[in-house]
Amino acid sequence: MLEPSMRWFGPDDPVRLAFLRQGGAQTLFSSLHQIPYGEAWPREAIRARREEIEAAGLRWSVVESVPVHEDIKTGGGKLTSLFANYATSLRHLAAEGIRTVVYNFMPVLDWVRTDMAFTLPDGSRSMRYDPVHFAAFDLHALQRPGAVDDHAPEVRDRAADWWNGLDGPARDRFIASIIDVFPGVKWNLTLDDIRAMLARYAGIGEEQLRANLARFLDAVLPVAEECGVRLAIHPDDPPFPVLGLPRIVSTAGQLDAILALADSPSNGLCFCTGSLGARPDNDLPAMASRFAGRIHALHLRSTTLEPDGSFHEASHLEGSTDLVAVLRAFLAARQSAEPVPFRPDHGLVMLDDLEKPEGITPGYSAIGRLKGLAEIRGVLRAIGPR
Ligand code: DNO
C-alpha cells in the first residue's frame, strides 16, 4: 500500500498545508530546517511541528531529512558527540511517533543542477543539468585543481565558450544556483567555502566514504532499531561523481553494498526515481523490485536524458523513466502490508505559478507537484493491487 504524501518545508514554505491536503496528500515529508546540521533535535520542537501538521488534517510520516554533518562524511571531527546527537534526534522523533528518517551521504553539495529555470516547449519551466555548464563551473568559476582531467576536451572547449559569453551578474547567478541549493536553508556559501569543503575530501575515495557511512550506521542503527526508526538513504543526485568527489549511492551495486553493511530493517532506502533515473544503466523497475523490502519511502519523478549527458526533469509520466513500470514492479515484489509513503518528487512550474516571480522553492511548486501527485494516484488506482 502506498501513501500519498507531499514535502513541506515548514512554516516558511510558500505552499500552505491546506493546499497540500487539497492536492490529495494524506501525509507529509518534513524537516526542522532551523536546526543546524549536527545538533540534536529537541523533542518539543518535533512535537510543535507534528501538532501543526496534524491540526491541518495531515500526518507527519517521514522526516526528510535529519542531515548528516560533513564531519561524519569525512570521518574527521567530533564524531562521538555528532553520533550521540543524531541518536538523540532519532529517539525524540520516535517518541513523537515519526519513524521514517531520510538522510543522504552526498559529499559537500546536496543535489546539483545547472539551470533552475529551463523553459520547455510548452512554456512550463523545469530544471536541467548540462555537463558543459557544469564543466564551466568546475573549470572557470571554482578553478578546481585537477578539474581539467574530469572533462573531455570538447566539453572543455564548449564550456570555455559558454562561460566567456556570460556577463558578471549572469556568472554570479549561475554560481549561486549550484553552490547554495540545500533543502530549506540558505547559507550564502562562497566559492572559497566550497573549496575548503572540497579540500577535506582529499584522499577520500569510494571505499573510505563507504567506511565512513558504515561507522555512522554502526553508531546509530542500534538506537534506530531499539526505537523502531527506519533510516532511508537518499541516492546521489546526479548519480555520478561531481567535482572529483566520491559517490556511493548511485547504482544497484552500490545500494547492495549499503544494505549489506547491516542486514537490518532500520538500514533502508529512500528510492528516488528522479535521482537514480538520471543514469541510463540504472534499470529502475528491476531495482524497485530487488530492493522492495528495504524501501521505506519513495520519491517519484522522471527525467529526460539527452544524448550528450544532459538531463532535465520531465512531467511525472513522461521522460525516460517509466513510473508505471516502476510502481508495478515495486507493488508486485513488496511483501509487507505496511504503508510506504510516496511523494511526487519535484514538479514543473506551470499555469499561475509561472506568474509568481518569487516564492517558488526550486522543484517544489504547488501546481506542478499537484499534477504529479494526481497522475501517480491515478496510476495507483488503476494498477494497485492493494
Ligand atoms: C531535492 C531533494 C534532496 C533531498 C535530500 C535528502 O529536491 O531530493 O534535497 O531532500 O538530499 O537528504
Side-chain angles (χ1 to χ4, degrees):
M1 207 254 274
L2 294 178
E3 211 171 58
S5 302
M6 284 282 213
R7 187 176 203 173
W8 188 55
F9 286 99
D12 294 335
D13 193 324
V15 183
R16 282 181 247 155
L17 283 173
F19 296 174
L20 298 175
R21 185 176 175 194
Q22 290 160 21
Q26 293 167 5
T27 77
L28 294 185
F29 289 51
S30 197
S31 180
L32 302 183
H33 298 289
Q34 72 272 24
I35 301 181
Y37 287 22
E39 285 184 16
W41 288 20
R43 182 156 173 195
E44 305 69 50
I46 298 167
R47 182 183 306 132
R49 173 64 58 86
R50 177 177 64 67
E51 288 175 351
E52 187 174 5
I53 291 171
E54 289 174 2
L58 293 156
R59 190 166 56 77
W60 186 3
S61 55
V62 177
V63 184
E64 178 173 356
S65 308
V66 179
V68 174
H69 194 277
E70 284 292 296
D71 285 358
I72 295 178
K73 297 182 207 161
T74 60
K78 296 198 178 78
L79 292 184
T80 314
S81 64
L82 287 170
F83 292 153
N85 288 352
Y86 205 96
T88 301
S89 301
L90 298 184
R91 278 191 213 284
H92 287 168
L93 286 163
E96 291 298 323
I98 304 136
R99 295 203 161 80
T100 302
V101 174
V102 173
Y103 70 104
N104 76 66
F105 224 73
M106 285 181 264
V108 182
L109 300 173
D110 201 280
W111 55 312
V112 177
R113 298 288 181 273
T114 56
D115 186 353
M116 296 307 227
F118 174 65
T119 302
L120 295 170
D122 65 3
S124 60
R125 279 204 317 260
S126 172
M127 295 187 287
R128 186 161 191 267
Y129 176 88
D130 181 326
V132 169
H133 297 183
F134 194 73
F137 170 76
D138 200 6
L139 293 160
H140 302 290
L142 194 61
Q143 301 179 357
R144 180 175 62 87
V148 103
D149 302 327
D150 288 353
H151 306 282
E154 70 275 13
V155 172
R156 297 201 300 257
D157 291 346
R158 288 171 57 204
D161 287 346
W162 183 76
W163 179 254
N164 291 332
L166 295 182
D167 62 15
R171 287 181 180 177
D172 290 344
R173 278 196 304 276
F174 169 65
I175 291 169
S177 75
I178 292 190
I179 66 178
D180 218 354
V181 191
F182 292 84
V185 281
K186 200 96 204 127
W187 284 326
N188 299 315
L189 293 174
T190 64
L191 287 170
D192 277 337
D193 294 328
I194 298 292
R195 291 182 186 112
M197 289 164 86
L198 286 171
R200 299 194 60 201
Y201 285 87
I204 300 182
E206 202 180 308
E207 281 311 307
Q208 186 57 49
L209 187 64
R210 197 168 13 252
N212 295 346
L213 172 63
R215 178 151 54 164
F216 166 67
L217 290 175
D218 281 347
V220 301
L221 279 181
V223 175
E225 285 164 358
E226 183 193 310
C227 55
V229 164
R230 289 160 307 198
L231 291 173
I233 193 165
H234 185 280
D236 305 320
D237 187 358
F240 44 79
V242 290
L243 303 179
L245 293 163
R247 289 294 216 195
I248 57 169
V249 202
S250 296
T251 64
Q254 290 179 330
L255 294 180
D256 269 331
I258 290 170
L259 296 180
L261 291 174
D263 187 15
S264 155
S266 291
N267 177 27
L269 307 174
C270 171
F271 194 75
C272 176
T273 59
S275 306
L276 294 167
R279 235 187 121 105
D281 57 350
N282 276 341
D283 177 344
L284 294 195
M287 290 164 77
S289 170
R290 169 149 152 208
F291 300 118
R294 301 285 279 278
I295 292 174
H296 302 319
L298 288 158
H299 285 180
L300 299 174
R301 166 165 68 82
S302 181
T303 42
T304 298
L305 305 181
E306 299 165 38
D308 69 347
S310 298
F311 64 82
H312 64 264
E313 303 194 0
S315 263
H316 291 78
L317 299 186
E318 314 297 331
S320 312
T321 298
D322 183 348
L323 278 189
V324 179
V326 169
L327 288 167
R328 272 193 212 282
F330 178 71
L331 289 170
R334 179 93 181 166
Q335 308 275 319
S336 150
E338 190 160 347
V340 181
F342 75 89
R343 65 173 181 83
D345 190 39
H346 303 176
L348 303 180
V349 180
M350 56 172 58
L351 311 184
D352 296 9
D353 277 351
L354 285 167
E355 280 143 33
K356 294 179 192 155
E358 314 284 341
I360 294 188
T361 309
Y364 294 90
S365 60
I367 298 173
R369 281 189 298 156
L370 163 66
K371 175 171 175 276
L373 183 62
E375 290 176 343
I376 296 163
R377 288 177 70 213
V379 168
L380 288 171
R381 185 65 67 89
I383 68 165
R386 288 178 278 198

